[in-house]
Amino acid sequence: MSENANNDKNDLLNALNSVNEVKVGDVVTGEVLATDDNRQLIVGIEGSGVEGVVPERELDSSQKFDDIKQGDKLKLVVTSRIGSDKEGGSFVLSSRQLETRKVWDELAEKSKNDETITAKVSQAVKGGLVVDAGVRGFIPASMISDHFVDNLNQFKGQELELKIIEIDPVENRLILSHKAIVQAEKAEEREKLMQTLHEGDVVEGTVARLTSFGAFVDLGGMDGLVHVSQIAYERVDKPSDVLKVGQQVKVKVLSVDFDRNRISLSIKQTLPEPWDGIEEKAPVGSVLEGTVKRLVDFGAFVEVFPGVEGLVHISQISHEHIATPGDVLKVGETIQVKVLDVDPERKRLALSIKALTDAPEEDKPKHDTPKRSPRKPRQSSNNNNAPEEETGFTLGDIIGNELKNHEDK
C-alpha cells in the first residue's frame, strides 16, 4: 500500500474516532441548520456528526423562535432519541430543560447551605400549595403555618419565604416549608414580647383563629385568647358572628403566663361601658325597643342597648294573670317596653310591657264609684321578693315604685 493510501486511511480513522457518541442527558452545542413546518429548529450537534430537533416549546424563557437564525449556536440538553442507528439517528433537544437543570443545581446548593428561598404561590390544591420556584415546588398543608389553616386559597398569589425540606431533581420533587420560617420568626418575636408585655396593657393584635369558645389573637410572637365572654358586652353566641380572621383588634391583657404559653385577653374591656349615661339613654318614662334575651319564672330580661338588660317582672308583662312569662313572650322576640326605674350604680333597669297597653274595660274604675281614700303603701316583706339577677329588681322594689307612682297621680 502506498504512503498516500495509508495517510488517507489514518485520516478516516481519526475522523471516525473524533465523532462523539450522543447520549440522553448530555449537554451539547447545537448549530441551527434550518426550521421546519412544525416550528422546530433543526440543529447539528457539534462533534457528533448527527442532527437533532428543538421544538418551540423546548426553548428557554429568554429565547423566541422567530428571532433565532440559521448559524446560531445554542446550549442544549439531549432529552430523547429519535431512531436507533447512530448514523441515521436523531435526537430531541431542549434549552428549557437545561435552564431547569440550572435551577435544580442552584436549589441543591441552597439546600446544602441551609439557605431559604422565596417563591410565589401559583395554586392551592388538595393537601397543600403549589409554588413557582423556577421549578414546581409543593408546600404540604401541615407545613404552611404553625397552626391549622382552613382556607388555602388565601395564600394564592402571595410570595412566601420557604425552607427546603426535600429535593430530588431526578424525580422533580421539591418539598418546601413556610412553617419553619414562621416558627423561627415567632421565637424571636416571643423573646421581645416577654420583655414588653404586662398585665393591664392595651395593645393591638390580629385575629388568627376562631373557635367555638373564643378568638386567638396574634400579638406578634404569641397568640392570646379572647374568651367568648370577653368579646363584647352583649351576649355573643359564636365568635365568628362578630370577628373575622385577619381583623385588627384592640385588646386588654388580663393575665400573662409565658411558662405555660398562655395570655388571656379582653376586647370587651377596651370598649365604652354600656351602662355609662344610662339615665340619659333610658330615662324613667321613656319607651324603648328591646329583645327578649332570657325568660325566668319571675319575669323576662330584655336587652334595650348592647350589653344593657332590664327586667320586666311577670306582674308587668300583662294586665291579665299569666302563669309564666313563656305564655306570652319568646326569646329573641322584639318588643316595646317602658322604663319604670333606673339604678345606674347597681346596673339595673325596671321595665314594663303592661304600662304601654290599656287595661281591659272591666278593670277600669266606673264614674259612679265613690272615690276611695288613699291607701297606705305596704311594706315589702322578704317573702314577696323575687330572686335577684344581675340586671333585675326585687319584686318589692317594683311594687313599691308602682304604688308610689299611683299615689302621686
Side-chain angles (χ1 to χ4, degrees):
M1 184 178 292
S2 67
E3 185 176 345
N4 288 336
N6 284 331
N7 289 336
D8 290 343
K9 185 178 180 181
N10 289 333
D11 289 343
L12 178 61
L13 289 172
N14 290 334
L16 289 173
N17 290 332
S18 67
V19 174
N20 297 318
E21 182 182 354
V22 177
K23 301 185 293 297
V24 172
D26 286 350
V27 177
V28 299
T29 299
E31 181 179 349
V32 178
L33 305 176
T35 61
D36 65 15
D37 294 338
N38 295 322
R39 291 185 71 80
Q40 297 182 125
L41 301 176
I42 310 301
V43 300
I45 303 174
E46 284 190 353
S48 70
V50 296
E51 296 179 356
V53 295
V54 183
E56 182 180 15
R57 67 177 181 276
E58 291 300 326
L59 295 175
D60 70 32
S61 57
S62 66
Q63 298 167 329
K64 292 185 178 180
F65 185 85
D66 294 327
D67 293 341
I68 298 174
K69 300 178 179 62
Q70 184 178 353
D72 287 350
K73 292 186 178 183
L74 307 175
K75 206 75 173 174
L76 303 163
V77 63
V78 181
T79 60
S80 62
R81 176 187 285 274
I82 306 171
S84 56
D85 66 294
K86 181 176 179 180
E87 289 76 14
S90 185
F91 296 87
V92 177
L93 303 104
S94 172
S95 57
R96 180 180 64 84
Q97 291 194 30
L98 184 61
E99 183 181 45
T100 300
R101 179 181 288 190
K102 291 179 182 177
V103 173
W104 281 111
D105 290 343
E106 291 172 359
L107 290 172
E109 186 67 18
K110 286 182 180 293
S111 178
K112 180 181 176 182
N113 297 328
D114 201 28
E115 296 179 42
T116 62
I117 65 170
T118 300
K120 189 173 185 178
V121 178
S122 58
Q123 191 179 4
V125 296
K126 185 177 181 180
L129 301 173
V130 176
V131 301
D132 181 6
V135 294
R136 183 184 186 276
F138 183 67
I139 310 172
S142 61
M143 296 185 184
I144 294 173
S145 185
D146 60 345
H147 57 262
F148 175 73
V149 177
D150 184 42
N151 179 21
L152 298 182
N153 285 314
Q154 65 181 293
F155 293 97
K156 191 173 181 180
Q158 290 188 24
E159 285 199 347
L160 302 177
E161 187 180 356
L162 304 163
K163 181 179 176 63
I164 299 172
I165 302 301
E166 184 180 344
I167 182 169
D168 187 345
V170 176
E171 296 293 332
N172 289 322
R173 182 178 175 84
L174 179 64
I175 305 299
L176 304 163
S177 172
H178 183 57
K179 177 180 179 179
I181 306 298
V182 173
Q183 288 177 328
E185 289 176 348
K186 285 199 170 182
E188 185 177 344
E189 291 172 352
R190 184 179 185 274
E191 291 300 316
K192 294 179 181 177
L193 199 65
M194 290 176 65
Q195 305 300 322
T196 59
L197 194 68
H198 303 94
E199 184 176 323
D201 289 349
V202 175
V203 296
E204 288 193 350
T206 305
V207 177
R209 285 178 289 152
L210 295 173
T211 67
S212 59
F213 55 85
F216 286 93
V217 176
D218 182 3
L219 302 177
M222 280 188 71
D223 288 350
L225 174 64
V226 180
H227 189 266
V228 65
S229 64
Q230 290 294 325
I231 292 177
Y233 283 104
E234 62 269 30
R235 179 181 174 82
V236 175
D237 293 321
K238 293 189 299 181
S240 58
D241 289 340
V242 293
L243 296 173
K244 293 181 180 178
V245 172
Q247 181 179 343
Q248 295 286 339
V249 291
K250 186 179 288 186
V251 292
K252 182 176 181 179
V253 180
L254 301 182
S255 63
V256 179
D257 187 344
F258 286 112
D259 292 335
R260 301 174 66 190
N261 289 321
R262 290 185 181 180
I263 302 175
S264 180
L265 306 170
S266 174
I267 296 174
K268 180 171 74 175
Q269 292 192 29
T270 67
L271 303 174
E273 166 62 51
W275 285 86
D276 287 347
I278 191 64
E279 289 178 295
E280 288 74 34
K281 293 189 291 186
V284 173
S286 62
V287 177
L288 306 173
E289 184 175 86
T291 303
V292 178
K293 289 295 184 179
R294 291 176 290 154
L295 297 176
V296 292
D297 291 342
F298 54 88
F301 288 95
V302 178
E303 186 178 61
V304 290
F305 299 107
V308 177
E309 291 183 8
L311 173 66
V312 180
H313 190 268
I314 190 170
S315 64
Q316 291 296 322
I317 293 176
S318 173
H319 289 283
E320 299 176 356
H321 174 74
I322 59 173
T324 65
D327 291 343
V328 293
L329 296 174
K330 293 180 180 179
V331 173
E333 181 180 357
T334 300
I335 58 172
Q336 297 284 322
V337 291
K338 184 175 182 178
V339 179
L340 300 182
D341 197 12
V342 184
D343 188 344
E345 291 184 3
R346 300 173 70 192
K347 295 183 179 179
R348 295 187 177 183
L349 278 178
L351 307 172
S352 174
I353 301 170
K354 183 174 75 174
L356 297 177
T357 60
D358 294 330
E361 288 295 329
E362 59 270 20
D363 292 344
K364 292 181 179 179
K366 295 181 180 179
H367 293 293
D368 56 352
T369 304
K371 225 176 180 183
R372 295 181 181 180
S373 58
R375 292 183 299 171
K376 294 182 180 179
R378 293 183 300 173
Q379 292 183 345
S380 60
S381 65
N382 290 334
N383 294 332
N384 291 331
N385 286 350
E388 292 189 42
E389 291 225 356
E390 184 181 345
T391 56
F393 284 85
T394 64
L395 178 58
D397 290 338
I398 295 171
I399 293 177
N401 287 329
E402 280 297 283
L403 289 176
K404 184 178 184 301
N405 291 340
H406 178 75
E407 291 174 0
D408 293 338
K409 290 181 181 179

